[in-house]
Amino acid sequence: MTVQTFFHRRRSRFLFGFLFFSALYYGAATLVDYHLLNSFQAIPAAFAWLATNFMPTTRSMAFLPLILTKLGQTIILSITATVIAAILALALAIIGSSTTGLNRATKLLARVIASICRNIPLVAWAMILLLSFKQSDFTGFLALFFGSFGYLTRSFMELIESDATAIYEALSTTGASYLQVVLRGIIPSISASLLSWLLYMIENNIRDATLVGILTGTGIGFLFDLYYKSFRFDLAGMTTVTIIVAVVCLELLANQIRRLIR
Amino acid sequence: MIFQNANLVGHLTVLENVLHGRLGYQSTLAGILGRYTTAEKETAVDLLTQVGLADFMYHRCDELSGGQMQRVGIARALMQDPKILLCDEPIASLDPKSAKVVMDYLHFLAKQRHITCIVNLHQVDAAREYADRILGINQGQVVFEGTPDQLSDDALEQLYQGKREVQHS
């Protein structure tokens, strides 16, 4: 194969890929009768409608205290669920990671639990738990807890395996006991990454709490759902704005904390 | 035990890493709480002074250079009061100058405390300079055994030649 044929093949392969995906899009669009240009033309009108209807009015200001209270509750609920999930996930990750795992059984157990919790979508958790725990804050808490727990366990296990294997080896050779190695070596060496994951998960959960709230009828999600379904769009709009402001503020705060802990 | 990449806890200070050498002598509870005796702390400071890192005591280990980290590794190993030191390629990932500093400290401290030091090296010059006795190992077989003076160029060539031939086959 000469250099020319190599690059020629590269080009033809790219061309083939491009044509393939174009055909795929065209076929699909024809099938469902979708017109790209028309849908883009509809966007300005849709936004204009959104702006006029969802714009908070003076009337909606009276509802601000209620919205903020609910928002506060939702944020605290999300933080609680995430922190508890993180503590338990760390314990499970330590006894389950391939580096620090106690034995085969715990390693398997950790992986199975993490994958079950992670692979059930948050929405499904909320719906399932709603049936057994009824419409309460606790249902929302549990839904967020299970989702974060699975995700964090998996991440923490990978973190330990990649960052703490050398430390585990080094401290084990000093004759330190398992608990000493974990608490003096493993946890300090991954602490900054642990906190970073925790902050990320809190940010995520505050966003997700809104969705869970819509499903389980609690917190800020419930308020949004209520206003939306009773056509009080100005209030629904204001609820959305407060959520966005809160999430952005928390993200900025989290970034500051991340910079400090390094 | 001394490792190729020192294997220190980067987020902790130099002093804390040296004190880790005492964990094996402590009760589990004291180790978990990180409680070290005054004597242990004094020994740690003393060892750090001997490896020339007293000024870096309160620095985090991830701020140190490779050679400095390895010296902390030596202090941590000596903190265990060992009879034998096992060193797994201690200078493999260091530049020649830092490598010399690390080997000098290792040699001096091991001699001073009468500690047997088993070091595996790929740097033949370092082996010649510091070792009392050299073993050449090829494919798990000891192919050379003797003092640095006995390690002639011929013997060396045989050692590495053999390796090359085996790799080719």
Side-chain angles (χ1 to χ4, degrees):
Chain A
M1 183 168 63
T2 66
V3 179
Q4 263 84 8
T5 52
F6 172 78
F7 281 104
H8 184 71
R9 259 185 223 173
R10 262 286 145 82
R11 261 198 302 278
S12 52
R13 221 173 264 174
F14 175 76
L15 197 68
F16 174 77
F18 182 75
L19 288 176
F20 176 77
F21 284 106
S22 306
L24 206 62
Y25 168 77
Y26 189 74
T30 323
L31 212 62
V32 296
D33 201 23
Y34 173 76
H35 302 288
L36 189 65
L37 275 179
N38 289 3
S39 22
F40 273 114
Q41 276 160 6
I43 288 177
F47 270 105
W49 187 88
L50 208 65
T52 45
N53 282 283
F54 274 85
M55 190 61 77
T57 57
T58 25
R59 182 186 72 125
S60 35
M61 289 317 274
F63 287 85
L64 193 60
L66 176 68
I67 293 174
L68 287 181
T69 324
K70 282 284 179 192
L71 181 67
Q73 283 171 4
T74 306
I75 290 174
I76 288 170
L77 185 86
S78 314
I79 293 175
T80 321
T82 318
V83 171
I84 293 176
I87 292 169
L88 293 178
L90 180 61
L92 188 63
I94 286 170
I95 62 166
S97 82
S98 63
T99 316
T100 57
L102 292 177
N103 53 48
R104 269 202 160 134
T106 59
K107 284 180 198 177
L108 188 69
L109 185 77
R111 257 152 244 273
V112 170
I113 292 177
S115 124
I116 290 174
C117 290
R118 215 159 43 103
N119 289 320
I120 298 178
L122 192 66
V123 177
W125 271 121
M127 304 293 260
I128 294 166
L129 293 165
L130 187 60
L131 296 177
S132 27
F133 290 93
K134 308 292 174 253
Q135 185 177 343
S136 72
D137 281 331
F138 190 58
T139 311
F141 171 86
L142 281 182
L144 290 176
F145 170 82
F146 281 119
S148 327
F149 179 64
Y151 195 76
L152 287 175
T153 305
R154 182 90 209 112
S155 317
F156 289 173
M157 277 201 283
E158 264 161 32
L159 197 61
I160 292 172
E161 281 155 22
S162 68
D163 288 15
T165 307
I167 310 289
Y168 183 79
E169 220 175 51
L171 288 200
S172 298
T173 58
T174 67
S177 68
Y178 180 74
L179 274 179
Q180 287 175 327
V181 174
V182 167
L183 288 160
R184 297 277 106 209
I186 309 282
I187 291 179
S189 66
I190 59 171
S191 55
S193 314
L194 280 184
L195 283 173
S196 188
W197 269 110
L198 180 65
L199 291 171
Y200 168 75
M201 214 61 214
I202 288 175
E203 280 168 36
N204 247 356
N205 276 346
I206 288 171
R207 261 189 300 269
D208 289 346
T210 314
L211 181 65
V212 171
I214 293 176
L215 295 167
T216 61
T218 50
I220 192 86
F222 172 69
L223 268 192
F224 178 81
D225 200 32
L226 180 73
Y227 296 147
Y228 186 79
K229 284 185 176 153
S230 54
F231 302 106
R232 283 182 280 176
F233 291 134
D234 56 327
L235 289 178
M238 188 153 83
T239 315
T240 315
V241 169
T242 54
I243 294 169
I244 294 170
V245 170
V247 170
V248 169
C249 286
L250 279 157
E251 199 173 334
L252 292 176
L253 182 70
N255 284 342
Q256 286 302 319
I257 297 175
R258 274 200 196 101
R259 208 162 298 155
L260 285 177
I261 57 180
R262 191 161 52 104
Chain B
M1 179 92 195
I2 288 167
F3 301 87
Q4 181 176 347
N5 298 312
N7 294 12
L8 306 172
V9 182
H11 290 291
L12 295 180
T13 59
V14 168
L15 188 60
E16 282 168 301
N17 268 286
V18 175
L19 283 166
H20 278 165
R22 294 309 297 174
L23 286 177
Y25 291 94
Q26 286 185 317
S27 73
T28 300
L29 191 65
I32 289 168
L33 297 172
R35 297 180 75 91
Y36 302 99
T37 63
T38 314
E40 283 170 337
K41 287 174 194 162
E42 276 164 5
T43 317
V45 174
D46 198 41
L47 276 169
L48 279 172
T49 315
Q50 287 184 48
V51 294
L53 288 175
D55 293 341
F56 291 90
M57 211 157 24
Y58 303 115
H59 284 239
R60 271 168 55 152
C61 280
D62 50 12
E63 293 168 356
L64 302 182
S65 71
Q68 289 171 327
M69 282 192 201
Q70 200 54 279
R71 275 142 69 194
V72 178
I74 293 173
R76 180 177 67 187
L78 291 175
M79 199 68 199
Q80 295 177 52
D81 231 348
K83 291 192 177 66
I84 297 180
L85 269 181
L86 299 178
C87 309
D88 179 18
E89 300 198 20
I91 55 172
S93 38
L94 297 180
D95 63 274
K97 203 176 150 203
S98 315
K100 188 180 171 346
V101 174
V102 166
M103 285 309 288
D104 281 341
Y105 276 114
L106 194 60
H107 186 244
F108 173 76
L109 291 168
K111 270 259 160 24
Q112 185 196 37
R113 285 148 204 262
H114 308 291
I115 299 170
T116 307
C117 211
I118 301 174
V119 189
N120 64 337
L121 289 170
H122 283 303
Q123 296 82 351
V124 179
D125 295 339
R128 270 206 178 114
E129 193 180 338
Y130 295 100
D132 297 320
R133 194 167 145 219
I134 296 174
L135 295 181
I137 295 175
N138 189 341
Q139 300 286 313
Q141 300 293 316
V142 177
V143 292
F144 171 82
E145 186 176 354
T147 59
D149 302 333
Q150 289 169 330
L151 184 64
S152 61
D153 287 342
D154 282 350
L156 249 180
E157 203 172 317
Q158 216 179 356
L159 178 61
Y160 282 97
Q161 194 77 49
K163 195 177 179 179
R164 220 171 288 143
E165 271 169 11
V166 172
Q167 273 176 350
H168 276 297
S169 63

